[in-house]
């Protein structure tokens, strides 16, 4: 039995078919199928249902998937030990599409620092797919991602919803639009727009908001922090989740203004992810709990 065989089964369960697993892993279908077939012979069970329409994980495969994840998780811990990373002293690794959650993430890190003074936290700003892959390969302990209605969480990951909200307009604090209590989509179409790159959730949100009539000039940026700096410098306007700038220094000092958008009902959920069936180190479990607790306090706090 080889670890890559287990990785292949996990990928088939995660991506829904042998073909999509092969595309994700960059492994040819014949090689992937042969490796899983050898594993099935060794285990004495069939893990995949093979039909002319495609090859998918079957009931037995799904039943064994948690045990497969345990083995892969143990291998990750062995690699960490070989690198000299004790589970009690290595950093808790957090990947997020956006660390602008001043009211939730930063208080949680401060609380964690008090409880685990000898354990550091490694914060990494990543794309959604990088967060997901990092949780699967063990290079991340916790992931923070945003989801839109209809977005699914892969079966090998478990999600805890932290907060939800709606997109709001982010304007320069001295802009004429900032003098309005609300703005319309047509108002925003007349401005230079600063959006996320394709593949980021806020790019999808912006395209939902503007539909077939986008702003004439559309800049892109790789991170929310860069977008905020561009807006505060007067370059243009942007969109962000309403929960993403609460307590932000640029909003607090008047460099940025947040305004609701008329008739905009898109719901954005911030969720915290970890690998299902994994056995996280105590410090990682503690930070997960701190983030969840601060999110709950944030939701129930009076406006």
């Amino acid at each position: 039995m080889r670890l890559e065989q287990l990785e292949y089964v996990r990928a088939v369960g995660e991506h829904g078919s042998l073909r999509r697993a092969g595309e994700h892993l960059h492994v040819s279908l014949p090689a992937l199928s042969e490796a899983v077939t050898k594993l099935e012979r060794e285990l004495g069970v069939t893990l995949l249902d093979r039909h002319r329409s495609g090859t998918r994980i079957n009931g037995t495969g799904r039943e064994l998937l948690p045990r497969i994840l345990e083995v892969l998780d143990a291998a990750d811990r062995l690699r960490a030990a070989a690198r000299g990373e004790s589970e009690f002293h290595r950093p808790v690794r957090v990947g997020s599409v956006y660390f602008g959650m001043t009211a939730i993430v930063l208080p949680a890190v401060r609380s964690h620092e008090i409880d685990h003074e000898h354990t550091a936290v490694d914060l990494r700003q990543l794309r959604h797919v990088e967060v997901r892959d990092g949780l699967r390969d063990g290079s991340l302990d916790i992931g923070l991602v945003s989801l839109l209605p209809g977005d699914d969480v892969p079966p090998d990951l478990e999600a805890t919803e932290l907060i939800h909200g709606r997109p709001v307009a982010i304007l320069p604090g001295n802009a004429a639009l900032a003098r309005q209590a609300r703005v319309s989509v047509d108002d925003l179409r007349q401005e230079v727009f600063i959006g996320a790159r394709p593949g980021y959730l806020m790019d999808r949100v912006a395209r939902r908001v503007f539909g077939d009539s986008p702003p004439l000039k559309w800049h892109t940026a790789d991170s929310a922090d860069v977008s905020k700096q561009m807006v505060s410098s007067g370059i243009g306007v942007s969109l962000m989740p309403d929960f993403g700038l609460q307590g932000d220094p640029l909003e607090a000092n008047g460099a940025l203004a947040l305004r609701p958008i008329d008739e905009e009902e898109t719901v954005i959920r911030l969720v915290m992810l970890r690998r299902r069936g994994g056995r996280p180190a105590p410090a990682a479990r503690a930070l997960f709990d701190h983030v969840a607790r601060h999110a709950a306090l944030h939701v129930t706090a009076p406006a």
Side-chain angles (χ1 to χ4, degrees):
M1 184 184 303
R2 303 193 310 274
L3 287 177
E4 61 262 30
Q5 293 172 304
L6 303 181
E7 292 279 7
Y8 294 167
V9 175
R10 177 174 73 176
V12 175
E14 169 193 326
H15 295 283
S17 75
L18 192 73
R19 178 183 60 79
R20 286 196 289 268
E23 291 171 352
H24 174 76
L25 295 168
H26 305 291
V27 177
S28 70
L29 286 184
L32 198 61
S33 181
E34 181 183 0
V36 176
T37 298
K38 288 181 179 178
L39 177 63
E40 289 175 320
R41 279 200 220 102
E42 184 171 351
L43 296 176
V45 297
T46 301
L47 302 171
L48 305 180
D49 283 339
R50 296 165 173 86
H51 303 289
R52 295 185 67 179
S53 59
T55 300
R56 296 172 176 80
I57 194 165
N58 61 21
T60 301
R62 282 190 291 272
E63 288 178 9
L64 292 178
L65 196 54
R67 298 302 180 93
I68 289 172
L69 295 177
E70 286 179 11
V71 174
L72 294 173
D73 188 59
D76 289 337
R77 293 199 302 275
L78 176 60
R79 293 187 190 102
R83 293 193 299 265
E85 297 178 354
S86 160
E87 70 171 10
F88 297 102
H89 295 95
R90 71 164 175 77
V92 179
R93 300 155 303 181
V94 182
S96 177
V97 295
Y98 179 47
F99 279 116
M101 286 301 300
T102 308
I104 295 177
V105 175
L106 298 187
V109 171
R110 283 194 292 268
S111 298
H112 182 271
E113 187 176 50
I114 293 171
D115 292 346
H116 295 80
E117 59 179 329
H118 299 300
T119 303
V121 176
D122 177 11
L123 301 178
R124 308 176 189 179
Q125 187 159 313
L126 304 169
R127 293 181 298 128
H128 188 127
V129 66
E130 293 171 326
V131 172
R132 187 183 63 196
D133 290 347
L135 292 169
R136 288 170 180 149
D137 66 23
S139 60
L140 293 178
D141 300 297
I142 296 170
L144 293 164
V145 301
S146 297
L147 301 176
L148 294 178
D151 289 349
D152 294 325
V153 175
D156 59 333
L157 302 179
E158 58 179 298
T160 298
E161 181 168 330
L162 299 177
I163 194 170
H164 65 271
R166 301 191 185 282
V168 293
I170 309 301
L171 313 170
N174 59 358
L177 278 183
R179 294 195 288 271
Q180 301 178 191
R182 305 178 65 86
V183 299
S184 70
V185 175
D186 280 338
D187 290 332
L188 299 177
R189 287 191 179 105
Q190 308 308 312
E191 303 292 327
V192 174
F193 185 71
I194 301 164
R197 291 189 187 280
Y200 287 80
L201 178 129
M202 288 311 298
D203 177 65
R204 294 167 56 203
V205 171
R207 296 187 187 282
R208 284 191 183 200
V209 170
F210 293 119
D212 295 331
S213 301
L216 292 178
K217 192 168 186 179
W218 187 311
H219 296 307
T220 56
D222 273 340
S223 74
D225 288 334
V226 173
S227 296
K228 288 188 299 182
Q229 292 293 337
M230 293 174 71
V231 174
S232 65
S233 299
I235 293 173
V237 303
S238 190
L239 297 175
M240 289 184 191
D242 54 8
F243 54 73
L245 283 173
Q246 294 175 6
D248 187 279
L250 288 173
E251 193 269 336
N253 68 19
L256 294 178
L258 285 61
R259 294 295 181 266
I261 304 168
D262 287 335
E263 301 180 3
E264 176 47 52
E265 300 298 326
T266 300
V267 175
I268 303 172
R269 296 186 296 137
L270 179 72
V271 302
M272 183 163 51
L273 302 175
R274 56 182 168 183
R275 195 160 80 183
R276 190 179 298 278
R279 302 167 74 176
R285 288 198 302 270
L287 181 57
F288 189 98
D289 292 341
H290 279 306
V291 173
R293 184 166 62 252
H294 281 283
L297 292 173
H298 184 75
V299 170
T300 57

